[in-house]
Amino acid sequence: MSRIFALLCLAASLQGETITAAFSDPSRPGILKLRQSNGSITVRGYSGKDVLIEANPNNKHGKSITRTQEDGNRLTITLDPNSSATIQVPFQTALQLQSSNGSIRVEKVQGEIDVQSSNGSIDVRGAASAVVAHSTNGSINVAFDKVDARRPMSFSSMNGKIDVIFPADLKANLKVQHQRGSLHCDFDLNTNAPGPEIQFKSYNGGVNIRRAQQK
Amino acid sequence: MNCEQVKTELPDFLAGSLNPPAQARVQDHLDACPDCSELAGLWDKLGAIPDELPSPRLRANFHEMLARETAAPKRAPAWIWQAVAAAVIAVMGFAAGRSIPREQSTELRDIRDMLALSLLQQQSASDRLKGISYTYQANKDDAQIRDALLEALNTDSSVDVRLAAVDALRRMSAQQGISDSLERPQSPLVQIALIDAVVELNETKSVAVLQKLQAASDVDELVKQRARQALGQLRSKGTL
């Protein structure tokens, strides 16, 4: 299988920097991978084809080194461990984001979102496919515009609160396991209804599953 | 139309290449026969797997699986091998025209297991969750499925997939693997799910690990509490 290394770019500057990276096949949805230690990450969907990365240096040298590597429509971004970044991606991009201490925010991205944080909060707005989210100590807030009716999802947290808003016409099989926190759900639980299975697991935080207000 | 005839027609039916009366006859049978309709559903799902580039590990697994199948020749209808070939092509983007041996043994369950195993290798966490949900239909003592779930539990990048793997392994009563996994560094929520599982499965061999956990300095306080509580629960079950 031939591997394509379409892009390898390296850049550094003393100020905040903007870097443009491209997917090797923009006609198919790409995958964006990012693992960050301390900075906050915002990823926003937009109508362009490229990925625009704005990294704000946050360390004492005021220096940020951003690297991107593309392989088979999968773009891996490496940031300075302490810098925050705002990244714009094509709407259909799938995201795989991990952060240790920073918060993660995703807006208007319609591909599948796989997001994890140890100590930061997770905030997803305008999701339109499947979301798989875990935070050990941070809260998880997710709002869906629509849901892909075939894809399972899962939301889990040890100490954070999980709050998810689904479209009013959601057809899914919701399963909740919670130990200590409260539970509120606008939908029927554990119905074994046809549709994807959506799991919620919380140990210490509460679970809040809400129906979106009709527009 | 009987089941055997339907199975022969199924690949063409799903491709929509039968003539309309034949298409309708197969559809009538599928509406009436749960077995055939499940089979048709599986076929559909195989087709729905996104065609990503296969990882080397996936390829190795498939070769292994094919080798195992070819090593145990029994009679089976040729369409099943067409199904396997279609799955291999659909799932892995393998070049068409590979020579797939005919007259080999495999069953509905094997196709479903293969679907579960291949989904577990996908890039997408949602696909891997789907793969885990398919393992609920596998035999509880299927070693290959159990190993794939253990691998997910111990190596998957997504905590949510690891949590789903714990539940699936619980159903398979994989005490040993669950207990072994407690010795590895894990996300605290997964550690708690593992402790719940060893208590439910009454795994007394975990006592040493639980004692280590509750005394460890680098373990989450809530996990330590749960480990202590679990030791008490195992004791009161009379297993200590």
Side-chain angles (χ1 to χ4, degrees):
Chain A
M1 206 65 60
S2 73
R3 298 199 148 232
I4 312 156
F5 289 92
L7 190 86
L8 179 67
C9 99
L10 181 72
S13 85
L14 290 169
Q15 295 293 312
E17 52 188 342
T18 302
I19 286 174
T20 304
F23 288 113
S24 47
D25 179 2
S27 66
R28 286 189 303 135
I31 301 176
L32 178 92
K33 264 182 117 155
L34 172 61
R35 195 177 281 219
Q36 179 61 321
S37 302
N38 298 314
S40 298
I41 304 296
T42 300
V43 182
R44 200 171 289 138
Y46 85 118
S47 56
K49 280 183 177 177
D50 293 334
V51 174
L52 311 176
I53 309 154
E54 251 179 86
N56 311 305
N58 206 10
N59 59 7
K60 60 183 172 195
H61 310 295
K63 223 193 271 183
S64 168
I65 297 172
T66 303
R67 276 178 294 126
T68 65
Q69 189 181 342
E70 209 273 357
D71 177 15
N73 242 25
R74 196 166 58 216
L75 181 75
T76 307
I77 301 178
T78 313
L79 297 169
D80 180 281
N82 295 312
S83 82
S84 296
T86 301
I87 299 164
Q88 297 192 69
V89 299
F91 286 122
Q92 298 301 328
T93 309
L95 306 179
Q96 296 176 6
L97 309 173
Q98 284 193 29
S99 164
S100 304
N101 299 312
S103 61
I104 298 177
R105 188 176 170 85
V106 178
E107 293 166 11
K108 293 185 199 163
V109 175
Q110 293 162 6
E112 183 185 321
I113 298 169
D114 172 358
V115 55
Q116 300 191 72
S117 171
S118 302
N119 298 313
S121 62
I122 292 169
D123 197 347
V124 181
R125 302 283 124 184
S129 173
V131 174
V132 176
H134 170 82
S135 175
T136 306
N137 297 315
S139 61
I140 298 176
N141 285 280
V142 180
F144 285 90
D145 279 352
K146 59 180 193 220
V147 161
D148 184 334
R150 289 170 314 164
R151 305 180 71 70
M153 303 191 213
S154 175
F155 304 87
S156 63
S157 177
M158 180 84 176
N159 294 312
K161 192 168 168 53
I162 300 173
D163 191 319
V164 183
I165 304 174
F166 288 110
D169 62 350
L170 175 73
K171 284 184 186 59
N173 194 7
L174 302 177
K175 295 203 167 138
V176 180
Q177 293 178 29
H178 68 125
Q179 300 280 336
R180 300 178 176 190
S182 61
L183 168 66
H184 168 84
C185 185
D186 290 343
F187 299 90
D188 290 339
L189 288 170
N190 300 315
T191 52
N192 283 319
E197 192 170 286
I198 306 183
Q199 279 271 5
F200 300 82
K201 260 188 208 199
S202 148
Y203 196 72
N204 237 355
V207 178
N208 197 1
I209 304 166
R210 294 187 284 155
R211 193 186 293 264
Q213 302 292 323
Q214 296 279 16
K215 278 167 199 161
Chain B
M1 206 171 213
N2 66 28
C3 293
E4 279 313 306
Q5 290 167 317
V6 166
K7 283 174 183 168
T8 326
E9 305 277 20
L10 206 45
D12 291 331
F13 169 79
L14 289 165
S17 54
L18 291 175
N19 61 40
Q23 197 84 11
R25 276 200 302 275
V26 175
Q27 187 59 55
D28 286 348
H29 180 91
L30 292 181
D31 290 342
C33 171
D35 282 354
C36 288
S37 110
E38 185 185 3
L39 187 65
L42 282 170
W43 267 82
D44 250 7
K45 285 167 183 161
L46 281 173
I49 296 179
D51 47 343
E52 290 175 353
L53 297 178
S55 72
R57 189 173 59 165
L58 175 64
R59 194 177 314 171
N61 285 353
F62 261 90
H63 280 308
E64 230 173 74
M65 216 179 317
L66 284 175
R68 219 177 0 254
E69 291 297 341
T70 45
K74 275 187 225 151
R75 278 192 64 83
W79 70 267
I80 289 180
W81 273 97
Q82 291 165 7
V84 173
V88 167
I89 290 163
V91 173
M92 303 173 58
F94 259 10
R98 288 180 65 83
S99 69
I100 301 291
R102 284 163 190 273
E103 303 232 330
Q104 303 301 337
S105 119
T106 180
E107 293 165 353
L108 182 59
R109 189 185 293 277
D110 292 335
I111 298 179
R112 190 164 42 210
D113 289 357
M114 191 162 78
L115 183 59
L117 293 169
S118 57
L119 281 168
L120 275 168
Q121 309 286 344
Q122 294 291 315
Q123 281 279 332
S124 141
S126 176
D127 281 340
R128 301 200 298 280
L129 288 172
K130 197 188 280 181
I132 288 180
S133 73
Y134 286 163
T135 69
Y136 280 77
Q137 315 225 5
N139 275 330
K140 286 188 178 185
D141 52 6
D142 186 320
Q144 204 182 354
I145 293 284
R146 189 195 54 222
D147 290 349
L149 287 168
L150 283 170
E151 192 179 339
L153 166 62
N154 291 322
T155 64
D156 200 286
S157 62
S158 163
V159 173
D160 289 286
V161 173
R162 304 208 290 270
L163 286 167
V166 178
D167 284 343
L169 284 162
R170 223 159 141 156
R171 182 195 74 101
M172 297 184 90
S173 300
Q175 285 98 324
Q176 183 69 53
I178 291 174
S179 186
D180 289 349
S181 187
L182 265 179
E183 306 217 39
R184 294 160 163 265
Q186 262 289 10
S187 168
L189 199 56
V190 180
Q191 285 178 308
I192 291 201
L194 289 169
I195 297 174
D196 289 346
V198 295
V199 171
E200 183 192 291
L201 299 170
N202 216 354
E203 174 60 357
T204 46
K205 286 184 203 133
S206 310
V207 165
V209 194
L210 290 172
Q211 278 166 342
K212 224 186 288 173
L213 267 181
Q214 64 159 349
S217 57
D218 56 347
V219 171
D220 186 282
E221 204 46 51
L222 290 169
V223 175
K224 289 190 196 182
Q225 276 177 26
R226 182 67 191 97
R228 254 191 302 279
Q229 194 192 6
L231 284 166
Q233 284 171 304
L234 287 174
R235 204 171 289 126
S236 71
K237 281 189 177 182
T239 49
L240 283 186

